[in-house]
PDB file of all heavy atoms in Angstrom:
ATOM      1  N   PHE A 396      11.841  26.600 -15.865  1.00  0.00           N
ATOM      2  CA  PHE A 396      10.513  26.154 -15.880  1.00  0.00           C
ATOM      3  C   PHE A 396       9.799  26.198 -17.262  1.00  0.00           C
ATOM      4  O   PHE A 396       9.149  25.310 -17.591  1.00  0.00           O
ATOM      5  CB  PHE A 396       9.693  26.958 -14.841  1.00  0.00           C
ATOM      6  CG  PHE A 396       9.991  26.675 -13.396  1.00  0.00           C
ATOM      7  CD1 PHE A 396      11.074  25.909 -13.030  1.00  0.00           C
ATOM      8  CD2 PHE A 396       9.277  27.204 -12.271  1.00  0.00           C
ATOM      9  CE1 PHE A 396      11.486  25.663 -11.729  1.00  0.00           C
ATOM     10  CE2 PHE A 396       9.579  26.874 -10.966  1.00  0.00           C
ATOM     11  CZ  PHE A 396      10.714  26.050 -10.666  1.00  0.00           C
ATOM     12  N   LYS A 397      10.181  27.237 -17.892  1.00  0.00           N
ATOM     13  CA  LYS A 397       9.616  27.306 -19.357  1.00  0.00           C
ATOM     14  C   LYS A 397      10.194  26.230 -20.268  1.00  0.00           C
ATOM     15  O   LYS A 397       9.384  25.543 -20.973  1.00  0.00           O
ATOM     16  CB  LYS A 397      10.004  28.667 -19.927  1.00  0.00           C
ATOM     17  CG  LYS A 397       9.196  29.822 -19.530  1.00  0.00           C
ATOM     18  CD  LYS A 397       9.564  31.113 -20.255  1.00  0.00           C
ATOM     19  CE  LYS A 397       9.078  32.363 -19.501  1.00  0.00           C
ATOM     20  NZ  LYS A 397       9.944  33.548 -19.757  1.00  0.00           N
ATOM     21  N   ALA A 398      11.432  26.022 -20.095  1.00  0.00           N
ATOM     22  CA  ALA A 398      12.090  24.919 -20.967  1.00  0.00           C
ATOM     23  C   ALA A 398      11.518  23.496 -20.552  1.00  0.00           C
ATOM     24  O   ALA A 398      11.293  22.696 -21.357  1.00  0.00           O
ATOM     25  CB  ALA A 398      13.629  24.949 -20.680  1.00  0.00           C
ATOM     26  N   ALA A 399      11.322  23.313 -19.216  1.00  0.00           N
ATOM     27  CA  ALA A 399      10.832  22.017 -18.778  1.00  0.00           C
ATOM     28  C   ALA A 399       9.396  21.815 -19.418  1.00  0.00           C
ATOM     29  O   ALA A 399       9.067  20.668 -19.890  1.00  0.00           O
ATOM     30  CB  ALA A 399      10.702  21.980 -17.246  1.00  0.00           C
ATOM     31  N   ASP A 400       8.621  22.805 -19.385  1.00  0.00           N
ATOM     32  CA  ASP A 400       7.292  22.798 -20.041  1.00  0.00           C
ATOM     33  C   ASP A 400       7.366  22.401 -21.503  1.00  0.00           C
ATOM     34  O   ASP A 400       6.741  21.594 -22.029  1.00  0.00           O
ATOM     35  CB  ASP A 400       6.512  24.192 -19.962  1.00  0.00           C
ATOM     36  CG  ASP A 400       5.661  24.261 -18.746  1.00  0.00           C
ATOM     37  OD1 ASP A 400       5.532  23.256 -18.082  1.00  0.00           O
ATOM     38  OD2 ASP A 400       5.164  25.345 -18.513  1.00  0.00           O
ATOM     39  N   GLU A 401       8.298  23.158 -22.226  1.00  0.00           N
ATOM     40  CA  GLU A 401       8.302  22.989 -23.630  1.00  0.00           C
ATOM     41  C   GLU A 401       8.941  21.711 -24.059  1.00  0.00           C
ATOM     42  O   GLU A 401       8.466  21.088 -24.999  1.00  0.00           O
ATOM     43  CB  GLU A 401       9.187  24.135 -24.224  1.00  0.00           C
ATOM     44  CG  GLU A 401       9.290  24.142 -25.708  1.00  0.00           C
ATOM     45  CD  GLU A 401       9.500  25.467 -26.443  1.00  0.00           C
ATOM     46  OE1 GLU A 401       9.198  26.445 -25.723  1.00  0.00           O
ATOM     47  OE2 GLU A 401      10.022  25.475 -27.561  1.00  0.00           O
ATOM     48  N   PHE A 402       9.952  21.230 -23.284  1.00  0.00           N
ATOM     49  CA  PHE A 402      10.671  19.991 -23.793  1.00  0.00           C
ATOM     50  C   PHE A 402      10.238  18.707 -22.984  1.00  0.00           C
ATOM     51  O   PHE A 402      10.720  17.605 -23.244  1.00  0.00           O
ATOM     52  CB  PHE A 402      12.128  20.183 -23.721  1.00  0.00           C
ATOM     53  CG  PHE A 402      12.619  21.349 -24.532  1.00  0.00           C
ATOM     54  CD1 PHE A 402      13.068  22.491 -23.944  1.00  0.00           C
ATOM     55  CD2 PHE A 402      12.582  21.243 -25.935  1.00  0.00           C
ATOM     56  CE1 PHE A 402      13.404  23.621 -24.745  1.00  0.00           C
ATOM     57  CE2 PHE A 402      13.062  22.346 -26.681  1.00  0.00           C
ATOM     58  CZ  PHE A 402      13.467  23.555 -26.132  1.00  0.00           C
ATOM     59  N   GLY A 403       9.400  18.920 -21.979  1.00  0.00           N
ATOM     60  CA  GLY A 403       8.865  17.768 -21.233  1.00  0.00           C
ATOM     61  C   GLY A 403       9.834  17.087 -20.244  1.00  0.00           C
ATOM     62  O   GLY A 403       9.802  15.893 -20.019  1.00  0.00           O
ATOM     63  N   TRP A 404      10.755  17.884 -19.695  1.00  0.00           N
ATOM     64  CA  TRP A 404      11.710  17.315 -18.805  1.00  0.00           C
ATOM     65  C   TRP A 404      11.031  17.205 -17.351  1.00  0.00           C
ATOM     66  O   TRP A 404      10.304  17.939 -17.029  1.00  0.00           O
ATOM     67  CB  TRP A 404      12.909  18.245 -18.639  1.00  0.00           C
ATOM     68  CG  TRP A 404      13.632  18.467 -19.918  1.00  0.00           C
ATOM     69  CD1 TRP A 404      13.715  17.638 -21.042  1.00  0.00           C
ATOM     70  CD2 TRP A 404      14.361  19.723 -20.344  1.00  0.00           C
ATOM     71  NE1 TRP A 404      14.409  18.282 -21.957  1.00  0.00           N
ATOM     72  CE2 TRP A 404      14.842  19.499 -21.626  1.00  0.00           C
ATOM     73  CE3 TRP A 404      14.638  20.879 -19.721  1.00  0.00           C
ATOM     74  CZ2 TRP A 404      15.622  20.536 -22.314  1.00  0.00           C
ATOM     75  CZ3 TRP A 404      15.343  21.875 -20.301  1.00  0.00           C
ATOM     76  CH2 TRP A 404      15.779  21.625 -21.696  1.00  0.00           C
ATOM     77  N   TYR A 405      11.626  16.334 -16.561  1.00  0.00           N
ATOM     78  CA  TYR A 405      11.158  16.232 -15.203  1.00  0.00           C
ATOM     79  C   TYR A 405      11.918  17.119 -14.373  1.00  0.00           C
ATOM     80  O   TYR A 405      13.213  17.124 -14.313  1.00  0.00           O
ATOM     81  CB  TYR A 405      11.440  14.705 -14.670  1.00  0.00           C
ATOM     82  CG  TYR A 405      10.867  14.472 -13.272  1.00  0.00           C
ATOM     83  CD1 TYR A 405       9.556  14.722 -12.904  1.00  0.00           C
ATOM     84  CD2 TYR A 405      11.664  13.874 -12.342  1.00  0.00           C
ATOM     85  CE1 TYR A 405       9.027  14.507 -11.681  1.00  0.00           C
ATOM     86  CE2 TYR A 405      11.180  13.583 -11.022  1.00  0.00           C
ATOM     87  CZ  TYR A 405       9.895  13.936 -10.701  1.00  0.00           C
ATOM     88  OH  TYR A 405       9.425  13.705  -9.526  1.00  0.00           O
ATOM     89  N   ASN A 406      11.286  17.960 -13.683  1.00  0.00           N
ATOM     90  CA  ASN A 406      11.889  19.130 -12.919  1.00  0.00           C
ATOM     91  C   ASN A 406      12.238  18.763 -11.479  1.00  0.00           C
ATOM     92  O   ASN A 406      11.399  18.403 -10.727  1.00  0.00           O
ATOM     93  CB  ASN A 406      10.915  20.318 -12.992  1.00  0.00           C
ATOM     94  CG  ASN A 406      11.596  21.679 -12.585  1.00  0.00           C
ATOM     95  OD1 ASN A 406      12.581  21.657 -11.915  1.00  0.00           O
ATOM     96  ND2 ASN A 406      11.093  22.770 -13.275  1.00  0.00           N
ATOM     97  N   ARG A 407      13.579  18.889 -11.237  1.00  0.00           N
ATOM     98  CA  ARG A 407      14.016  18.590  -9.838  1.00  0.00           C
ATOM     99  C   ARG A 407      13.791  19.681  -8.908  1.00  0.00           C
ATOM    100  O   ARG A 407      14.020  19.575  -7.747  1.00  0.00           O
ATOM    101  CB  ARG A 407      15.506  18.223  -9.858  1.00  0.00           C
ATOM    102  CG  ARG A 407      16.146  17.862  -8.596  1.00  0.00           C
ATOM    103  CD  ARG A 407      17.426  18.699  -8.429  1.00  0.00           C
ATOM    104  NE  ARG A 407      18.024  18.423  -7.065  1.00  0.00           N
ATOM    105  CZ  ARG A 407      17.802  19.158  -5.985  1.00  0.00           C
ATOM    106  NH1 ARG A 407      17.008  20.180  -5.942  1.00  0.00           N
ATOM    107  NH2 ARG A 407      18.448  18.863  -4.833  1.00  0.00           N
ATOM    108  N   SER A 408      13.480  20.875  -9.335  1.00  0.00           N
ATOM    109  CA  SER A 408      13.516  22.039  -8.500  1.00  0.00           C
ATOM    110  C   SER A 408      12.698  21.781  -7.239  1.00  0.00           C
ATOM    111  O   SER A 408      11.527  21.504  -7.340  1.00  0.00           O
ATOM    112  CB  SER A 408      13.102  23.358  -9.253  1.00  0.00           C
ATOM    113  OG  SER A 408      13.970  23.769 -10.187  1.00  0.00           O
ATOM    114  N   CYS A 409      13.357  21.914  -6.131  1.00  0.00           N
ATOM    115  CA  CYS A 409      12.696  21.642  -4.845  1.00  0.00           C
ATOM    116  C   CYS A 409      11.571  22.550  -4.620  1.00  0.00           C
ATOM    117  O   CYS A 409      10.681  22.331  -3.840  1.00  0.00           O
ATOM    118  CB  CYS A 409      13.775  21.918  -3.743  1.00  0.00           C
ATOM    119  SG  CYS A 409      13.626  21.020  -2.320  1.00  0.00           S
ATOM    120  N   ALA A 410      11.493  23.708  -5.300  1.00  0.00           N
ATOM    121  CA  ALA A 410      10.555  24.729  -5.146  1.00  0.00           C
ATOM    122  C   ALA A 410       9.256  24.262  -5.677  1.00  0.00           C
ATOM    123  O   ALA A 410       8.228  24.833  -5.362  1.00  0.00           O
ATOM    124  CB  ALA A 410      10.972  25.989  -5.782  1.00  0.00           C
ATOM    125  N   ILE A 411       9.138  23.324  -6.666  1.00  0.00           N
ATOM    126  CA  ILE A 411       7.946  22.951  -7.220  1.00  0.00           C
ATOM    127  C   ILE A 411       7.699  21.398  -7.051  1.00  0.00           C
ATOM    128  O   ILE A 411       6.695  20.926  -6.870  1.00  0.00           O
ATOM    129  CB  ILE A 411       7.701  23.320  -8.670  1.00  0.00           C
ATOM    130  CG1 ILE A 411       8.749  22.651  -9.552  1.00  0.00           C
ATOM    131  CG2 ILE A 411       7.705  24.782  -8.802  1.00  0.00           C
ATOM    132  CD1 ILE A 411       8.418  22.658 -10.976  1.00  0.00           C
ATOM    133  N   ASN A 412       8.819  20.587  -6.913  1.00  0.00           N
ATOM    134  CA  ASN A 412       8.681  19.151  -6.859  1.00  0.00           C
ATOM    135  C   ASN A 412       8.556  18.771  -5.387  1.00  0.00           C
ATOM    136  O   ASN A 412       9.508  18.893  -4.650  1.00  0.00           O
ATOM    137  CB  ASN A 412       9.841  18.578  -7.447  1.00  0.00           C
ATOM    138  CG  ASN A 412       9.719  17.067  -7.678  1.00  0.00           C
ATOM    139  OD1 ASN A 412       9.146  16.381  -6.804  1.00  0.00           O
ATOM    140  ND2 ASN A 412      10.227  16.534  -8.798  1.00  0.00           N
ATOM    141  N   PRO A 413       7.376  18.282  -4.962  1.00  0.00           N
ATOM    142  CA  PRO A 413       7.138  18.098  -3.554  1.00  0.00           C
ATOM    143  C   PRO A 413       7.998  16.961  -2.919  1.00  0.00           C
ATOM    144  O   PRO A 413       8.204  16.872  -1.700  1.00  0.00           O
ATOM    145  CB  PRO A 413       5.653  17.771  -3.356  1.00  0.00           C
ATOM    146  CG  PRO A 413       5.251  17.234  -4.804  1.00  0.00           C
ATOM    147  CD  PRO A 413       6.186  17.928  -5.741  1.00  0.00           C
ATOM    148  N   TYR A 414       8.541  16.081  -3.753  1.00  0.00           N
ATOM    149  CA  TYR A 414       9.233  14.902  -3.282  1.00  0.00           C
ATOM    150  C   TYR A 414      10.647  15.178  -2.835  1.00  0.00           C
ATOM    151  O   TYR A 414      11.276  14.417  -2.128  1.00  0.00           O
ATOM    152  CB  TYR A 414       9.221  13.751  -4.321  1.00  0.00           C
ATOM    153  CG  TYR A 414       7.751  13.225  -4.507  1.00  0.00           C
ATOM    154  CD1 TYR A 414       7.080  13.694  -5.547  1.00  0.00           C
ATOM    155  CD2 TYR A 414       7.190  12.459  -3.580  1.00  0.00           C
ATOM    156  CE1 TYR A 414       5.757  13.278  -5.814  1.00  0.00           C
ATOM    157  CE2 TYR A 414       5.877  12.019  -3.743  1.00  0.00           C
ATOM    158  CZ  TYR A 414       5.232  12.471  -4.873  1.00  0.00           C
ATOM    159  OH  TYR A 414       3.874  12.011  -5.008  1.00  0.00           O
ATOM    160  N   LEU A 415      11.279  16.335  -3.226  1.00  0.00           N
ATOM    161  CA  LEU A 415      12.690  16.596  -2.928  1.00  0.00           C
ATOM    162  C   LEU A 415      12.839  16.894  -1.461  1.00  0.00           C
ATOM    163  O   LEU A 415      13.826  16.428  -0.836  1.00  0.00           O
ATOM    164  CB  LEU A 415      13.160  17.875  -3.752  1.00  0.00           C
ATOM    165  CG  LEU A 415      13.621  17.615  -5.137  1.00  0.00           C
ATOM    166  CD1 LEU A 415      14.746  16.787  -5.100  1.00  0.00           C
ATOM    167  CD2 LEU A 415      12.606  16.910  -5.968  1.00  0.00           C
ATOM    168  N   LEU A 416      11.829  17.634  -0.847  1.00  0.00           N
ATOM    169  CA  LEU A 416      11.883  17.835   0.555  1.00  0.00           C
ATOM    170  C   LEU A 416      12.030  16.548   1.410  1.00  0.00           C
ATOM    171  O   LEU A 416      12.477  16.514   2.601  1.00  0.00           O
ATOM    172  CB  LEU A 416      10.768  18.652   0.925  1.00  0.00           C
ATOM    173  CG  LEU A 416      10.781  19.489   2.117  1.00  0.00           C
ATOM    174  CD1 LEU A 416      10.262  20.920   1.797  1.00  0.00           C
ATOM    175  CD2 LEU A 416       9.845  18.910   3.178  1.00  0.00           C
ATOM    176  N   GLU A 417      11.366  15.458   0.846  1.00  0.00           N
ATOM    177  CA  GLU A 417      11.358  14.192   1.562  1.00  0.00           C
ATOM    178  C   GLU A 417      12.801  13.600   1.656  1.00  0.00           C
ATOM    179  O   GLU A 417      12.960  12.780   2.584  1.00  0.00           O
ATOM    180  CB  GLU A 417      10.481  13.196   0.777  1.00  0.00           C
ATOM    181  CG  GLU A 417       9.051  13.713   0.631  1.00  0.00           C
ATOM    182  CD  GLU A 417       8.283  13.855   1.968  1.00  0.00           C
ATOM    183  OE1 GLU A 417       8.422  12.900   2.738  1.00  0.00           O
ATOM    184  OE2 GLU A 417       7.727  14.986   2.207  1.00  0.00           O
ATOM    185  N   GLY A 418      13.719  14.064   0.899  1.00  0.00           N
ATOM    186  CA  GLY A 418      15.127  13.645   1.004  1.00  0.00           C
ATOM    187  C   GLY A 418      15.696  14.569   2.042  1.00  0.00           C
ATOM    188  O   GLY A 418      16.461  14.109   2.992  1.00  0.00           O
ATOM    189  N   LYS A 419      15.446  15.838   1.957  1.00  0.00           N
ATOM    190  CA  LYS A 419      16.134  16.842   2.907  1.00  0.00           C
ATOM    191  C   LYS A 419      15.732  16.547   4.319  1.00  0.00           C
ATOM    192  O   LYS A 419      16.522  16.763   5.285  1.00  0.00           O
ATOM    193  CB  LYS A 419      15.788  18.145   2.465  1.00  0.00           C
ATOM    194  CG  LYS A 419      16.486  18.708   1.204  1.00  0.00           C
ATOM    195  CD  LYS A 419      16.263  20.143   0.932  1.00  0.00           C
ATOM    196  CE  LYS A 419      17.174  20.644  -0.243  1.00  0.00           C
ATOM    197  NZ  LYS A 419      16.851  22.077  -0.518  1.00  0.00           N
ATOM    198  N   LYS A 420      14.530  16.003   4.584  1.00  0.00           N
ATOM    199  CA  LYS A 420      14.058  15.858   5.893  1.00  0.00           C
ATOM    200  C   LYS A 420      14.901  14.739   6.658  1.00  0.00           C
ATOM    201  O   LYS A 420      14.967  14.817   7.913  1.00  0.00           O
ATOM    202  CB  LYS A 420      12.566  15.333   5.942  1.00  0.00           C
ATOM    203  CG  LYS A 420      12.360  13.992   5.546  1.00  0.00           C
ATOM    204  CD  LYS A 420      10.872  13.680   5.504  1.00  0.00           C
ATOM    205  CE  LYS A 420      10.648  12.089   5.118  1.00  0.00           C
ATOM    206  NZ  LYS A 420       9.219  11.816   4.936  1.00  0.00           N
ATOM    207  N   THR A 421      15.626  13.944   6.001  1.00  0.00           N
ATOM    208  CA  THR A 421      16.461  12.880   6.647  1.00  0.00           C
ATOM    209  C   THR A 421      17.582  13.428   7.419  1.00  0.00           C
ATOM    210  O   THR A 421      18.007  12.776   8.366  1.00  0.00           O
ATOM    211  CB  THR A 421      16.985  11.862   5.561  1.00  0.00           C
ATOM    212  OG1 THR A 421      17.817  12.612   4.637  1.00  0.00           O
ATOM    213  CG2 THR A 421      15.864  11.169   4.898  1.00  0.00           C
ATOM    214  N   VAL A 422      17.939  14.646   7.137  1.00  0.00           N
ATOM    215  CA  VAL A 422      19.055  15.292   8.054  1.00  0.00           C
ATOM    216  C   VAL A 422      18.474  15.392   9.485  1.00  0.00           C
ATOM    217  O   VAL A 422      19.330  15.149  10.366  1.00  0.00           O
ATOM    218  CB  VAL A 422      19.534  16.671   7.468  1.00  0.00           C
ATOM    219  CG1 VAL A 422      18.456  17.712   7.593  1.00  0.00           C
ATOM    220  CG2 VAL A 422      20.895  17.037   8.075  1.00  0.00           C
ATOM    221  N   ALA A 423      17.272  15.628   9.625  1.00  0.00           N
ATOM    222  CA  ALA A 423      16.713  15.794  11.022  1.00  0.00           C
ATOM    223  C   ALA A 423      16.604  14.326  11.678  1.00  0.00           C
ATOM    224  O   ALA A 423      16.980  14.194  12.807  1.00  0.00           O
ATOM    225  CB  ALA A 423      15.345  16.440  10.920  1.00  0.00           C
ATOM    226  N   TYR A 424      16.219  13.395  10.903  1.00  0.00           N
ATOM    227  CA  TYR A 424      16.127  12.058  11.410  1.00  0.00           C
ATOM    228  C   TYR A 424      17.542  11.592  11.976  1.00  0.00           C
ATOM    229  O   TYR A 424      17.667  11.003  13.007  1.00  0.00           O
ATOM    230  CB  TYR A 424      15.688  10.987  10.314  1.00  0.00           C
ATOM    231  CG  TYR A 424      14.245  10.844  10.027  1.00  0.00           C
ATOM    232  CD1 TYR A 424      13.521  11.824   9.262  1.00  0.00           C
ATOM    233  CD2 TYR A 424      13.498   9.774  10.507  1.00  0.00           C
ATOM    234  CE1 TYR A 424      12.124  11.664   9.083  1.00  0.00           C
ATOM    235  CE2 TYR A 424      12.224   9.634  10.289  1.00  0.00           C
ATOM    236  CZ  TYR A 424      11.514  10.526   9.536  1.00  0.00           C
ATOM    237  OH  TYR A 424      10.143  10.416   9.278  1.00  0.00           O
ATOM    238  N   GLU A 425      18.531  11.911  11.107  1.00  0.00           N
ATOM    239  CA  GLU A 425      19.899  11.527  11.491  1.00  0.00           C
ATOM    240  C   GLU A 425      20.335  12.213  12.845  1.00  0.00           C
ATOM    241  O   GLU A 425      20.895  11.639  13.686  1.00  0.00           O
ATOM    242  CB  GLU A 425      20.908  11.943  10.409  1.00  0.00           C
ATOM    243  CG  GLU A 425      20.892  10.905   9.279  1.00  0.00           C
ATOM    244  CD  GLU A 425      21.840  11.245   8.147  1.00  0.00           C
ATOM    245  OE1 GLU A 425      22.757  11.995   8.382  1.00  0.00           O
ATOM    246  OE2 GLU A 425      21.550  10.783   6.985  1.00  0.00           O
ATOM    247  N   ILE A 426      19.985  13.563  12.918  1.00  0.00           N
ATOM    248  CA  ILE A 426      20.412  14.247  14.105  1.00  0.00           C
ATOM    249  C   ILE A 426      19.706  13.653  15.332  1.00  0.00           C
ATOM    250  O   ILE A 426      20.438  13.421  16.364  1.00  0.00           O
ATOM    251  CB  ILE A 426      19.922  15.811  14.005  1.00  0.00           C
ATOM    252  CG1 ILE A 426      20.873  16.446  12.941  1.00  0.00           C
ATOM    253  CG2 ILE A 426      20.057  16.490  15.365  1.00  0.00           C
ATOM    254  CD1 ILE A 426      20.384  17.868  12.511  1.00  0.00           C
ATOM    255  N   CYS A 427      18.463  13.331  15.249  1.00  0.00           N
ATOM    256  CA  CYS A 427      17.708  12.611  16.363  1.00  0.00           C
ATOM    257  C   CYS A 427      18.469  11.340  16.707  1.00  0.00           C
ATOM    258  O   CYS A 427      18.686  11.059  17.914  1.00  0.00           O
ATOM    259  CB  CYS A 427      16.246  12.384  15.966  1.00  0.00           C
ATOM    260  SG  CYS A 427      15.294  13.924  15.824  1.00  0.00           S
ATOM    261  N   GLU A 428      18.690  10.553  15.703  1.00  0.00           N
ATOM    262  CA  GLU A 428      19.304   9.239  15.965  1.00  0.00           C
ATOM    263  C   GLU A 428      20.659   9.365  16.599  1.00  0.00           C
ATOM    264  O   GLU A 428      21.097   8.704  17.427  1.00  0.00           O
ATOM    265  CB  GLU A 428      19.400   8.430  14.642  1.00  0.00           C
ATOM    266  CG  GLU A 428      19.359   6.976  14.948  1.00  0.00           C
ATOM    267  CD  GLU A 428      19.535   6.087  13.665  1.00  0.00           C
ATOM    268  OE1 GLU A 428      19.214   6.547  12.582  1.00  0.00           O
ATOM    269  OE2 GLU A 428      19.942   4.919  13.828  1.00  0.00           O
TER     270      GLU A 428
END
Side-chain angles (χ1 to χ4, degrees):
F396 288 10
K397 278 185 202 152
D400 264 356
E401 181 152 338
F402 302 108
W404 304 328
Y405 185 54
N406 196 333
R407 177 235 180 262
S408 290
C409 210
I411 61 163
N412 190 322
Y414 294 100
L415 275 296
L416 202 133
E417 300 298 310
K419 287 187 171 176
K420 76 184 183 186
T421 59
V422 71
Y424 277 79
E425 280 176 25
I426 291 168
C427 295
E428 204 184 338

